[in-house]
Amino acid sequence: MDHVDLNLIEALDALLTESSVTKAAARLNTSAPAMSRTLARLRRAFDDPLLVRAGRDLVPTPRALELRGEVHAVAARARALFAPSNTADPRTAVRMFDLQVTDMLSTTFIPSLIDDLRIQAPGISLRLRPESLEDTPALREGLVDLEIGIIRPGEPEIRSETLVTETLIGVVRPDHPLARAKTVTPQRFAAADHIVMSRRGRAHGPIDEQLADLGLRRRIAAVVPTFASALFLARETDVVCVAPARLGRPMLDTLGLRTFPIPLALPSLTIGMAWHPRNHHDRTHQLLRERTRHIMATAAEQGDHLAPIAPEANTR
């Protein structure tokens, strides 16, 4: 019995339910001769006739009666195993998801996502994983369920989706000279002291390259590893840092910071999410992606009404 044909369970369930070879065959969409051959195999497997002739009908043997309830239960469980999971409501699922989120979004986006999930799917919990995992195939290895941030090319099978496109703006405290400036020129921008946010400690980037093209150079007062620490330093001292124009708005408002357009042609920032194909059809994972998409779009839409529009704007 090391190589049991599990199709026999479904056939036995049909035979014991119908007590008829013909009806069992019709139930399983097969022919009566094929079902007769299957009954013969079952009789050999159980060393029992299972169904015997009583006039024009078949009646179950005592052994068949013993088996009938258990066989039906096993067959039902097998059918449920292969049934679509659409009956499961992801809004009532209890599940922990591992997220890898860009530091900037940890303080600007994640609070809104948590609040949203508490209402939409209170059984979902989030565990934020360190950004150091970006150097490993975390999605492929299942260490991360969803990555949100600046999605860089990785494994070819990874699925991704663009959420929003952001513009970077300058951020200062209210009494900073640039907060009162009618126009922030590249020269005035470069003359200010700057805070740079870099998890890897890099002091130079695209801003410095564009300033260099203009023959300018800014002074870096400090390099910090997180977006939140850069904003708190900008609130406490006369330094400039950069932030996303729309997604950063809630935290900028909370800290009472002022913003201005950066007078350089900086490339836009594309924020997206990525996940492994193993989770693509998972309905609870789909719900998480849908809520992520909704919260990000809402934050961007709200930011559109508040972000600086013209270069002359020096306050919100």
Side-chain angles (χ1 to χ4, degrees):
M1 296 298 291
D2 291 338
H3 303 286
V4 177
D5 184 353
L6 296 182
N7 290 321
L8 294 177
I9 295 176
E10 187 74 14
L12 180 57
D13 180 46
L15 285 164
L16 296 182
T17 299
E18 301 293 346
S19 292
S20 166
V21 170
T22 302
K23 291 180 180 178
R27 177 172 172 171
L28 298 184
N29 296 313
T30 188
S31 66
M35 184 57 68
S36 293
R37 290 192 293 271
T38 300
L39 177 56
R41 293 179 61 193
L42 286 165
R43 285 168 170 165
R44 290 193 297 271
F46 285 97
D47 193 22
D48 188 274
L50 298 175
L51 294 171
V52 296
R53 181 70 58 184
R56 301 180 61 181
D57 299 321
L58 292 175
V59 296
T61 65
R63 176 65 170 141
L65 292 175
E66 291 176 1
L67 292 170
R68 185 157 56 186
E70 183 63 22
V71 168
H72 183 72
V74 170
R77 287 197 296 270
R79 287 190 291 269
L81 182 65
F82 290 95
S85 60
N86 294 337
T87 56
D89 186 356
R91 296 179 184 273
T92 60
V94 177
R95 182 122 164 236
M96 173 77 74
F97 283 105
D98 289 290
L99 271 59
Q100 181 174 305
V101 183
T102 300
D103 169 72
M104 174 185 68
L105 296 178
S106 296
T107 52
T108 59
F109 163 73
I110 290 299
S112 297
L113 180 61
I114 290 175
D115 284 344
D116 181 81
L117 290 175
R118 287 175 62 199
I119 298 172
Q120 300 294 332
I124 291 180
S125 300
L126 305 178
R127 177 165 51 204
L128 271 62
R129 303 300 299 271
E131 285 190 87
S132 58
L133 290 178
E134 70 183 21
D135 297 325
T136 66
L139 289 170
R140 173 185 288 176
E141 294 180 3
L143 300 175
V144 170
D145 297 304
L146 187 65
E147 180 182 352
I148 307 172
I150 302 171
I151 307 300
R152 297 177 176 84
E155 296 87 359
E157 75 271 18
I158 297 300
R159 293 175 177 262
S160 63
E161 174 184 332
T162 296
L163 296 170
V164 297
T165 301
E166 271 285 14
T167 300
L168 292 176
I169 53 175
V171 178
V172 293
R173 63 180 181 176
D175 54 355
H176 190 285
L178 293 185
R180 299 186 295 271
K182 185 175 182 180
T183 302
V184 177
T185 64
Q187 290 75 19
R188 296 193 68 175
F189 179 73
D193 287 344
H194 291 251
I195 292 287
V196 172
M197 193 283 288
S198 172
R199 183 177 57 81
R200 298 183 177 181
R202 295 171 179 167
H204 296 275
I207 288 178
D208 303 279
E209 295 171 2
Q210 292 211 21
L211 288 174
D213 291 340
L214 298 174
L216 300 171
R217 182 178 180 181
R218 61 176 177 167
R219 191 182 90 82
I220 306 300
V223 179
V224 296
T226 67
F227 178 66
S229 58
L231 292 185
F232 276 101
L233 285 173
R235 186 184 68 172
E236 299 300 324
T237 187
D238 280 342
V239 293
V240 176
C241 74
V242 298
R246 298 181 293 176
L247 297 180
R249 182 62 59 189
M251 193 166 185
L252 301 183
D253 289 341
T254 299
L255 296 176
L257 295 168
R258 298 291 182 264
T259 65
F260 61 87
I262 296 176
L264 300 170
L266 295 176
S268 58
L269 204 63
T270 300
I271 305 296
M273 61 180 172
W275 62 96
H276 193 272
R278 73 166 70 87
N279 290 319
H280 186 68
H281 296 289
D282 182 280
R283 296 187 69 232
T284 309
H285 197 282
Q286 288 176 343
L287 174 65
L288 175 62
R289 300 199 304 269
E290 190 275 326
R291 299 321 299 171
T292 296
R293 191 181 300 113
H294 171 76
I295 293 299
M296 196 74 73
T298 300
E301 182 180 355
Q302 292 173 345
D304 279 335
H305 300 298
L306 297 171
I309 302 299
E312 293 78 17
N314 64 324
T315 61
R316 296 185 303 283

